[in-house]
Each structure stands twice: as structure tokens, then as C-alpha cells.
Amino acid sequence: MAKKFLISYRRSDSADYAERLYEKLVPAFGEGNVFIDKQQIDLGDEFARIIDERVSSCDVLVALVGPTWLDAADERGRRLHQPGDYVRHEIATALNSSIRVVPLLVRGARMPPATELPEDLTKLA
């Protein structure tokens, strides 16, 4: 049985890598076994519900970590430290469900130390 993958990424720092990874995984594992939000959630779909369903049904979550992944911010501060951040939610859900999480560092990014991550993501480090 083929593994099911979910690609987690920040559009602002690794969308192009996420799309290339998707294009490489699909021929090997099949289109139905590789999930990327941009190509597989239609307008009007309930984004959060679909993400939760896909994370809970995947075997491997590939977390693309680019140079601004940790520091991406909005008016409320670092997005990764906000409970409603989808990237945080995807990774934390996988980690808490014993789903394999593979960080993939791109564009010269370094893995942030556990001390810089929210508590529910420290296992990622």
C-alpha cells in the first residue's frame, strides 16, 4: 500500500518548493496519495476541516522550512506562535498523532532550536 503524504509549507517562503515536491512525489506515490492545499482545496470548501481530515489520514507530513518559516509575522506577532496558525496546527496535529513528520529545510534555512518553537512543536526540533 502506498504511503500518503501531506506537504505543509508557508506560501511566503516555500510555495515554489512545495509545488516541485508535489510534482516529484505524485509519479511515485499517486495523485490521491499526495496532498497540497493549493491544488486540492476548492473555493468555498471548509479549509480547516479538510486540513484536519488530510493530516489525520496521512502517513508522512513533510514540513518545508524556509528562511522565514519561523519569523513570518502579522500584526499579532510571529504566526507560528499563534494557536490559529495553520502551519503550526498541521505539524502539531501530526506530532500528537504519532504521524511521521519530516522537516525539509530549503533555501539555506536552519532547523530552529526547540527553545524557539511553541511547546506543541518542540518535538520537531
Side-chain angles (χ1 to χ4, degrees), residues 13-72:
D13 81 343
S14 56
D16 53 340
Y17 281 86
E19 289 178 28
R20 280 190 245 141
L21 179 60
Y22 175 82
E23 291 168 3
K24 295 290 184 184
L25 291 175
V26 165
F29 297 97
E31 190 171 359
N33 293 320
V34 183
F35 178 79
I36 186 170
D37 66 341
K38 186 176 178 183
Q39 296 178 349
Q40 295 171 321
I41 297 180
D42 294 323
L43 283 173
D45 282 351
E46 196 176 329
F47 188 83
R49 181 186 55 78
I50 292 170
I51 292 295
D52 284 345
E53 287 173 0
R54 293 302 182 124
V55 170
S56 66
S57 68
C58 75
D59 300 300
V60 180
L61 183 142
V62 181
L64 284 119
V65 177
T68 63
W69 181 84
L70 179 64
D71 296 320

Side-chain angles (χ1 to χ4, degrees), residues 10 71-82 84-85:
R10 285 214 183 280
D71 296 320
D74 61 19
E75 64 280 350
R76 295 173 292 166
R78 279 182 163 177
R79 292 175 57 196
L80 195 64
H81 288 271
Q82 298 170 24
D85 180 52

